[in-house]
Amino acid sequence: DIVMTQSPDSLAVSLGERATINCKSSQSVLYSSDNRNYFFAWYQQKPGQPPKLLIRGASTRESGVPDRFSGSGSGTDFTLTISSLQTEDVAVYYCQQYYSNPYTFGQGTKLEIK
Amino acid sequence: EVQLVESGGGLVKPGGSLTLSCAASGFTFSNSWMNWVRQAPGKGLEWVGHIKRNLDGATTDFAAPVKGRFTISRDDSKNMLYLQMNSLKTEDTAMYYCTRNTPDDLWGQGALVTVSS
């Protein structure tokens, strides 16, 4: 199984500041046909709600996701960046690989306001 | 409205069985691969398994902890997804989410399954 490891486990950032969450996969999740398509996603889960897909393919935002959210990375290292933290961004964030089943998730990163 | 609605959760004794249902609406269910993802209380997300669309053979895959005990099926005529859970263990206690596609672009609100004596 591909192991997904997120860092940090929790993070406190001031309103308007940048938040950065990292995720490392134990093996490549690159779909090799075009060398650019990563089978990697980010989700946001607010308290009492189901998760919501934010980013697919490592860097493609879903429709309606604010552009302060961005995804990047290559190889086995990926990053979710929130450029200017808002109160509504308080949540737990998960990464996921969907390259091979089981489609494993990271352990989650809890993001709070400092 | 595009949505998934789970039902059938509840309290069951260890060794017992339970079937969850997921009603899909607002999209072409028959064209979608469907998944079950669970979340133990206060814990992270765990992929349980999926079923491909009928065009792809409607085959299923499962995570190791549930393989041989859980079954996923679908009824495209009713836009329904099912999760049959047998030989339940206390560690199966979780919120079970029905989701669409890979990655999971649509989630239901979840059905809580508690396995306890």
Side-chain angles (χ1 to χ4, degrees):
Chain A
D1 297 1
I2 298 176
V3 177
M4 308 297 286
T5 304
Q6 291 181 228
S7 60
D9 289 334
S10 63
L11 181 62
V13 174
S14 300
L15 287 173
E17 296 300 305
R18 177 185 301 259
T20 301
I21 299 170
N22 301 298
C23 181
K24 187 176 185 66
S25 60
S26 61
Q27 63 189 74
S28 175
V29 295
L30 174 67
Y31 182 63
S32 60
S33 69
D34 62 4
N35 266 353
R36 288 179 294 145
N37 191 7
Y38 287 94
F39 282 14
F40 180 91
W42 288 102
Y43 298 83
Q44 175 193 62
Q45 185 176 31
K46 296 181 179 181
Q49 295 184 19
K52 171 188 172 183
L53 177 63
L54 293 178
I55 288 172
R56 70 173 70 208
S59 60
T60 302
R61 269 190 310 274
E62 291 295 284
S63 174
V65 174
D67 60 8
R68 64 180 180 273
F69 290 90
S70 64
S72 62
S74 62
T76 59
D77 293 284
F78 302 91
T79 299
L80 175 69
T81 302
I82 307 172
S83 60
S84 176
L85 189 70
Q86 306 299 305
T87 53
E88 60 266 32
D89 301 334
V90 169
V92 178
Y93 293 83
Y94 295 93
C95 62
Q96 181 203 35
Q97 65 81 19
Y98 49 97
Y99 179 82
S100 66
N101 68 65
Y103 301 134
T104 42
F105 294 88
Q107 79 276 18
T109 295
K110 186 175 185 178
L111 177 59
E112 299 172 314
I113 305 292
K114 185 187 291 184
Chain B
E1 182 183 1
V2 177
Q3 62 178 357
L4 299 167
V5 179
E6 300 92 339
S7 60
L11 175 64
V12 60
K13 288 182 168 48
S17 297
L18 198 65
T19 298
L20 302 183
S21 301
C22 172
S25 58
F27 65 96
T28 306
F29 179 75
S30 59
N31 274 351
S32 301
W33 290 27
M34 298 297 295
N35 316 282
W36 289 96
V37 176
R38 69 184 181 182
Q39 186 170 35
K43 302 297 184 183
L45 301 170
E46 180 183 23
W47 180 82
V48 171
H50 70 193
I51 184 167
K52 300 178 182 178
R53 58 183 183 170
N54 278 328
L55 206 60
D56 297 317
T59 54
T60 56
D61 289 294
F62 295 92
V66 308
K67 200 167 188 176
R69 299 188 298 122
F70 288 14
T71 303
I72 298 175
S73 60
R74 64 190 299 159
D75 185 339
D76 290 351
S77 68
K78 297 179 179 178
N79 289 346
M80 293 293 295
L81 178 72
Y82 304 99
L83 178 66
Q84 169 72 42
M85 302 180 289
N86 298 326
S87 303
L88 281 161
K89 305 175 182 180
T90 54
E91 52 264 40
D92 294 319
T93 294
M95 184 72 79
Y96 284 75
Y97 295 103
C98 163
T99 76
R100 180 186 72 176
N101 289 334
T102 302
D104 309 72
D105 62 0
L106 179 66
W107 295 64
Q109 288 297 313
L112 182 62
V113 173
T114 303
V115 185
S116 175
S117 55

